[in-house]
């Protein structure tokens, strides 16, 4: 589904990613871990198409297309979803209205007819249950005045409605208490199936207790320095990132 | 929700879509302005002597006045002798029914989305359509007459209700109020007249639709609304014009007179031709709008969505003379390309416990200049007056300008005045967030701007709100990227 090869990227001349290789197949969950500043969020942003990063080398293939050639909205319409670390507030635009616009633009791209109000509301109601989101949240302005937890849940709710093929969760666990974390994880788990894939970007292991990954990758200095299964995450939790740092420095 | 969808659907690549011209015989005065022209206009309209005298008086005042230079706009000197001051579609003097209206004219209004025939059949909105200088048709007149409501063209009012016109015309905007008001008073050709009797709640929205068609012509219409004690009316105004390379002058007057406990809501969606993207052509929209809350407990509420015109200069105002009277001003002014807008309001508190509320949302894009100018004045006997003002500016790109000129004058210590102002830019983060959900940039901008203007758009009657949202999207098309 997703193939990243030797990806190098910089921002304002400073190199952040130094040759990333990553393959994600349908049905898999990958976790990308690493200390602060290792390039995790940069990788997520580049996959989604944020402009402030410059890709200097390498390639990204998504569903047999050159991802780097696609505009951000085209990537989204092809089924790539990013749950933002810091969801943006849009005053005066309700979540419902925002999502309806998104759903119908994606449907148009796929040659499907726009959903009418009734069908759309039915869809919303169904997905609301997944993330235990409240009616009132949907009629408020998008993320405007939402608590940290509400914003993150709203991201997962949007993911549920848009049903992406590849979902990237960028530090979705940060700022969540344990109950909210479970709600978010349950939401993600219930959306998992053999046709889609999830990439979880996180600093801590605890989210991975609830969203169990098939693969864990450790990112350090813009490179994946270690890959393994879920046990790697537990090891990281026990030993800390210093262990990785030392190993990485030994290797060079 | 469905409202936004509609904009998105209609948010096509079209430019100014009302730019067509109707080929129709017109009856015009020669270019230029002098007492003979005024006599010509008055004679054409078969006016009584007092009306002609009023016009001539205004003309003499106008000759002594100077064009205002204080607005934050610039344009070449206007040659007032190079304008045609009267142009009317040729038709029977005054059609007694819609069937007598020229089919070309009916077609024009149909293109504008106002089918006069349909208006007549469906309930909802009564329309007075004004093309160039003359009122073409007024719908629903009979039905309104049953309630004692008078809704007709200004010329008809002069003929049929001279006592009301004499009493109220110029009572809110005196003929020498300002340069453009004096000019209008001298040469106005038609407009709408509305009278709501005591205790009557007007059962439908009343609407005037203004259209400039003929070239080299100025449009000078005036509207007079009188709301007697305890009455209510909601009034809508829409405007469009063909695309032309030369600038055209529109200098209108709207006067509202509200008696005790009366309420008048006046909504405008102004979409005069703004000129092309290099600033060639477009309407100079120099308008005086004012309401007088004469009686206690009366309320006048202005809502405007200004997207058109090369230059907009207007300050719909409220004089809060009656005790406990209320004035409101809700405005969205959008400028793109080379447009210039200097708009705002005046709230003059005279009576006790008077309240006013100002919500102004400016959106500037392209190389446009957008200014809010407002005056809140508390007179010495206005005990416990309250004002709340909020002026927000949204900038798109780095070549446009947003300016705020709030003036506050208080003559009474018990006054409470609040002023809030913000300036923001549409964030790349907001656009990227929308993009990431599959929404393209132009639609994202439309969504964000409509969200930003929501508080004002919510004040508009439903049909108008849909229209306004579409307009916002169209006006800002191509402003990013």
């Amino acid at each position: 589904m997703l193939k990243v090869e030797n990806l190098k990227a910089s921002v304002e001349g400073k190199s952040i990613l130094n040759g990333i290789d990553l393959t994600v197949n349908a049905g898999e969950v990958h976790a990308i871990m690493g200390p602060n500043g290792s390039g995790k969020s940069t990788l997520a942003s580049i996959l989604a198409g944020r402009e402030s990063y410059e890709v200097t080398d390498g390639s990204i293939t998504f569903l047999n297309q050159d991802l780097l050639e696609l505009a951000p909205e085209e990537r989204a319409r092809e089924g790539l979803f990013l749950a933002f670390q810091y969801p943006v507030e849009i005053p005066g635009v309700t979540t419902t209205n925002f999502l309806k616009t998104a759903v119908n633009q994606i449907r148009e791209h796929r040659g499907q007819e726009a959903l009418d109000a009734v069908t759309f509301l039915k869809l919303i109601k169904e997905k609301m249950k997944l993330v235990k989101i409240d009616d009132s949240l949907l009629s408020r302005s998008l993320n405007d005045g939402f608590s940290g937890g509400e914003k993150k849940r709203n991201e997962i709710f949007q993911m549920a409605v848009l049903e992406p093929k590849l979902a990237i969760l960028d530090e979705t666990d940060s700022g969540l208490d344990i109950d909210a974390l479970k709600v978010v994880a349950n939401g993600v788990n219930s959306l998992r199936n053999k046709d889609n894939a999830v990439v979880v970007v996180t600093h801590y292991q605890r989210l991975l207790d609830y969203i169990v990954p098939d693969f864990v990758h450790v990112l350090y200095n813009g490179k994946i320095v270690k890959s393994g299964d879920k046990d790697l995450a537990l090891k990281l939790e026990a030993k800390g990132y210093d262990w990785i740092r030392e190993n990485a420095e030994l290797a060079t | 929700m469905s409202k936004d969808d509609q904009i998105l659907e209609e948010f096509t690549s079209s430019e100014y879509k009302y730019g067509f011209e109707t080929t129709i015989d017109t009856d015009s005065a020669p270019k230029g302005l002098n007492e003979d022209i005024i006599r010509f206009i008055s004679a054409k309209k078969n006016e009584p002597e007092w009306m002609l005298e009023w016009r001539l008086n205004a003309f003499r005042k106008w000759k002594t006045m100077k064009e205002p230079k204080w607005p934050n706009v610039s344009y070449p000197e206007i040659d007032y002798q190079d304008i045609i001051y009267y142009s009317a579609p040729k038709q029977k003097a005054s059609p007694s029914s819609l069937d007598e209206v020229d089919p070309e004219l009916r077609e024009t209004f149909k293109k504008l989305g106002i089918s006069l025939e349909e208006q007549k059949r469906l309930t909802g909105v009564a329309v007075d359509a004004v093309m160039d200088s003359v009122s073409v048709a007024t719908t629903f007149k009979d039905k309104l007459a049953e309630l004692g409501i008078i809704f007709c063209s200004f010329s008809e009012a002069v003929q049929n209700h001279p006592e009301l016109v004499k009493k109220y015309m110029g009572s809110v905007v005196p003929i020498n109020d300002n340069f453009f008001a004096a000019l209008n008073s001298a040469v106005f050709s038609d407009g709408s007249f509305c009278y709501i009797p005591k205790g009557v709640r007007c059962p439908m929205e009343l609407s005037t639709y203004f259209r400039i068609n003929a070239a080299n012509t100025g449009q000078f219409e005036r509207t007079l609304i009188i709301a007697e004690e305890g009455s209510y009316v909601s009034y809508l105004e829409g405007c469009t014009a063909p695309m032309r390379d030369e600038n055209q002058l529109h200098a209108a007057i709207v006067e509202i007179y509200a008696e005790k406990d009366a309420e008048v809501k006046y909504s405008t969606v102004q979409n005069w031709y703004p000129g092309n993207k290099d600033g060639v052509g477009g309407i100079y929209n120099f308008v005086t709008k004012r309401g007088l809350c004469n009686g206690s407990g009366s309320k006048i509420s202005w809502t405007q969505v200004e997207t058109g015109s090369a230059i907009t200069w207007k300050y719909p105002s409220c004089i809060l003379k009656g005790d406990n009277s209320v004035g409101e001003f809700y405005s969205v002014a959008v400028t793109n390309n080379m447009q210039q807008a200097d708009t705002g309001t005046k709230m003059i508190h005279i009576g006790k416990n008077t309240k006013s509320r100002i919500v102004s949302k400016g959106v500037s894009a392209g190389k446009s200049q957008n200014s809010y100018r407002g005056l809140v004045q508390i007179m010495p006997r206005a005990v416990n007056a309250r004002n709340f003002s909020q002026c927000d500016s949204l900038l798109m790109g780095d070549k446009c300008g947003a300016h705020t000129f709030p003036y506050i004058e208080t003559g009474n210590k018990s006054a409470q005045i609040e002023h809030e102002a913000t300036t923001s830019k549409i964030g790349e983060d907001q656009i990227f967030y929308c993009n990431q959900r599959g929404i393209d940039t132009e639609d994202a901008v439309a969504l964000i701007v409509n969200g930003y203007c929501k508080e004002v758009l919510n004040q508009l009657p439903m049909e108008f709100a849909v229209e306004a949202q579409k307009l916002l999207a169209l006006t800002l098309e191509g402003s990013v990227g």
Side-chain angles (χ1 to χ4, degrees), chain B residues 21-42:
Chain B
E21 181 178 352
T22 310
T23 332
I24 199 158
D25 275 348
T26 52
D27 202 357
S28 301
K31 268 187 187 175
L33 184 55
N34 52 50
E35 294 204 358
D36 286 343
I37 292 284
I38 288 165
R39 289 202 170 84
F40 171 89
I41 295 170
S42 191

Short mmCIF file of all heavy atoms in Angstrom, two decimals, chain B residues 21-42:
data_model
loop_
_atom_site.label_atom_id
_atom_site.label_comp_id
_atom_site.label_asym_id
_atom_site.label_seq_id
_atom_site.Cartn_x
_atom_site.Cartn_y
_atom_site.Cartn_z
N GLU B 21 -26.02 42.68 -20.67
CA GLU B 21 -26.69 43.96 -20.90
C GLU B 21 -28.00 43.66 -21.63
O GLU B 21 -28.04 42.82 -22.51
CB GLU B 21 -25.78 44.84 -21.76
CG GLU B 21 -26.36 46.19 -22.06
CD GLU B 21 -25.40 47.06 -22.87
OE1 GLU B 21 -24.23 46.64 -23.06
OE2 GLU B 21 -25.83 48.12 -23.32
N THR B 22 -29.05 44.34 -21.29
CA THR B 22 -30.31 44.13 -21.96
C THR B 22 -30.46 45.18 -23.07
O THR B 22 -30.21 46.35 -22.84
CB THR B 22 -31.47 44.29 -20.97
OG1 THR B 22 -31.19 43.50 -19.82
CG2 THR B 22 -32.78 43.85 -21.58
N THR B 23 -30.83 44.71 -24.26
CA THR B 23 -31.06 45.67 -25.33
C THR B 23 -32.51 46.11 -25.23
O THR B 23 -33.43 45.33 -25.45
CB THR B 23 -30.88 45.02 -26.71
OG1 THR B 23 -29.97 43.96 -26.57
CG2 THR B 23 -30.41 46.01 -27.73
N ILE B 24 -32.67 47.30 -24.86
CA ILE B 24 -34.03 47.78 -24.67
C ILE B 24 -34.04 49.26 -24.97
O ILE B 24 -33.05 49.96 -24.73
CB ILE B 24 -34.47 47.46 -23.22
CG1 ILE B 24 -35.97 47.49 -23.10
CG2 ILE B 24 -33.83 48.38 -22.22
CD1 ILE B 24 -36.46 46.71 -21.92
N ASP B 25 -35.12 49.74 -25.55
CA ASP B 25 -35.21 51.17 -25.85
C ASP B 25 -35.26 51.96 -24.56
O ASP B 25 -36.02 51.62 -23.66
CB ASP B 25 -36.48 51.46 -26.64
CG ASP B 25 -36.24 51.23 -28.12
OD1 ASP B 25 -35.05 51.09 -28.49
OD2 ASP B 25 -37.22 51.18 -28.87
N THR B 26 -34.43 52.99 -24.49
CA THR B 26 -34.52 53.81 -23.30
C THR B 26 -34.86 55.24 -23.68
O THR B 26 -34.63 55.68 -24.80
CB THR B 26 -33.21 53.83 -22.50
OG1 THR B 26 -32.15 54.18 -23.39
CG2 THR B 26 -32.92 52.49 -21.87
N ASP B 27 -35.37 55.90 -22.72
CA ASP B 27 -35.76 57.27 -22.85
C ASP B 27 -34.78 58.02 -21.95
O ASP B 27 -34.81 57.83 -20.74
CB ASP B 27 -37.19 57.36 -22.28
CG ASP B 27 -37.90 58.57 -22.81
OD1 ASP B 27 -37.27 59.34 -23.54
OD2 ASP B 27 -39.08 58.73 -22.48
N SER B 28 -33.86 58.78 -22.55
CA SER B 28 -32.81 59.36 -21.72
C SER B 28 -32.78 60.87 -21.82
O SER B 28 -33.15 61.45 -22.83
CB SER B 28 -31.44 58.83 -22.13
OG SER B 28 -31.41 57.45 -22.02
N ALA B 29 -32.24 61.47 -20.77
CA ALA B 29 -31.97 62.90 -20.80
C ALA B 29 -30.60 63.08 -21.44
O ALA B 29 -29.79 62.16 -21.42
CB ALA B 29 -31.95 63.44 -19.38
N PRO B 30 -30.31 64.26 -22.01
CA PRO B 30 -28.95 64.50 -22.48
C PRO B 30 -27.97 64.51 -21.30
O PRO B 30 -28.39 64.70 -20.16
CB PRO B 30 -29.02 65.86 -23.15
CG PRO B 30 -30.33 66.45 -22.79
CD PRO B 30 -31.21 65.38 -22.25
N LYS B 31 -26.68 64.27 -21.62
CA LYS B 31 -25.66 64.32 -20.58
C LYS B 31 -25.63 65.67 -19.90
O LYS B 31 -25.94 66.69 -20.50
CB LYS B 31 -24.28 64.11 -21.22
CG LYS B 31 -23.84 62.68 -21.24
CD LYS B 31 -22.41 62.60 -21.73
CE LYS B 31 -22.01 61.15 -21.94
NZ LYS B 31 -20.69 61.00 -22.52
N GLY B 32 -25.19 65.66 -18.64
CA GLY B 32 -24.96 66.92 -17.97
C GLY B 32 -26.00 67.25 -16.92
O GLY B 32 -27.05 66.59 -16.84
N LEU B 33 -25.68 68.25 -16.11
CA LEU B 33 -26.59 68.60 -15.02
C LEU B 33 -26.74 70.12 -14.92
O LEU B 33 -25.77 70.85 -14.80
CB LEU B 33 -26.03 68.04 -13.70
CG LEU B 33 -26.92 68.22 -12.47
CD1 LEU B 33 -28.29 67.64 -12.70
CD2 LEU B 33 -26.27 67.58 -11.26
N ASN B 34 -27.99 70.57 -15.02
CA ASN B 34 -28.32 71.98 -14.79
C ASN B 34 -29.80 72.04 -14.44
O ASN B 34 -30.47 70.99 -14.39
CB ASN B 34 -28.00 72.82 -16.04
CG ASN B 34 -28.65 72.20 -17.27
OD1 ASN B 34 -29.85 71.89 -17.26
ND2 ASN B 34 -27.86 72.00 -18.32
N GLU B 35 -30.32 73.21 -14.22
CA GLU B 35 -31.72 73.30 -13.76
C GLU B 35 -32.69 72.76 -14.82
O GLU B 35 -33.74 72.22 -14.49
CB GLU B 35 -32.06 74.74 -13.36
CG GLU B 35 -31.27 75.17 -12.13
CD GLU B 35 -31.93 76.29 -11.34
OE1 GLU B 35 -33.00 76.76 -11.77
OE2 GLU B 35 -31.36 76.68 -10.30
N ASP B 36 -32.30 72.90 -16.09
CA ASP B 36 -33.18 72.41 -17.16
C ASP B 36 -33.31 70.89 -17.10
O ASP B 36 -34.38 70.33 -17.34
CB ASP B 36 -32.65 72.82 -18.53
CG ASP B 36 -32.89 74.30 -18.79
OD1 ASP B 36 -33.73 74.88 -18.04
OD2 ASP B 36 -32.23 74.86 -19.67
N ILE B 37 -32.20 70.22 -16.81
CA ILE B 37 -32.23 68.76 -16.70
C ILE B 37 -33.17 68.36 -15.56
O ILE B 37 -33.96 67.42 -15.67
CB ILE B 37 -30.81 68.19 -16.45
CG1 ILE B 37 -29.92 68.39 -17.67
CG2 ILE B 37 -30.86 66.72 -16.04
CD1 ILE B 37 -30.18 67.44 -18.83
N ILE B 38 -33.08 69.08 -14.48
CA ILE B 38 -33.94 68.75 -13.33
C ILE B 38 -35.41 68.99 -13.69
O ILE B 38 -36.27 68.17 -13.38
CB ILE B 38 -33.49 69.57 -12.10
CG1 ILE B 38 -32.16 68.98 -11.63
CG2 ILE B 38 -34.53 69.51 -10.99
CD1 ILE B 38 -31.40 69.83 -10.67
N ARG B 39 -35.65 70.06 -14.41
CA ARG B 39 -37.04 70.31 -14.87
C ARG B 39 -37.50 69.20 -15.82
O ARG B 39 -38.64 68.75 -15.76
CB ARG B 39 -37.13 71.67 -15.57
CG ARG B 39 -36.99 72.82 -14.61
CD ARG B 39 -37.60 74.11 -15.17
NE ARG B 39 -37.65 75.10 -14.12
CZ ARG B 39 -36.61 75.89 -13.79
NH1 ARG B 39 -35.47 75.81 -14.46
NH2 ARG B 39 -36.72 76.74 -12.80
N PHE B 40 -36.54 68.73 -16.65
CA PHE B 40 -36.84 67.64 -17.60
C PHE B 40 -37.24 66.37 -16.84
O PHE B 40 -38.25 65.74 -17.13
CB PHE B 40 -35.60 67.39 -18.48
CG PHE B 40 -35.67 66.16 -19.35
CD1 PHE B 40 -36.22 66.23 -20.63
CD2 PHE B 40 -35.19 64.94 -18.90
CE1 PHE B 40 -36.28 65.10 -21.43
CE2 PHE B 40 -35.26 63.80 -19.70
CZ PHE B 40 -35.80 63.88 -20.97
N ILE B 41 -36.44 66.04 -15.84
CA ILE B 41 -36.73 64.83 -15.05
C ILE B 41 -38.10 64.97 -14.38
O ILE B 41 -38.95 64.07 -14.45
CB ILE B 41 -35.64 64.59 -13.97
CG1 ILE B 41 -34.29 64.30 -14.62
CG2 ILE B 41 -36.04 63.46 -13.03
CD1 ILE B 41 -33.12 64.28 -13.64
N SER B 42 -38.30 66.10 -13.77
CA SER B 42 -39.55 66.33 -13.03
C SER B 42 -40.76 66.27 -13.97
O SER B 42 -41.79 65.69 -13.63
CB SER B 42 -39.47 67.68 -12.32
OG SER B 42 -40.53 67.80 -11.41
#
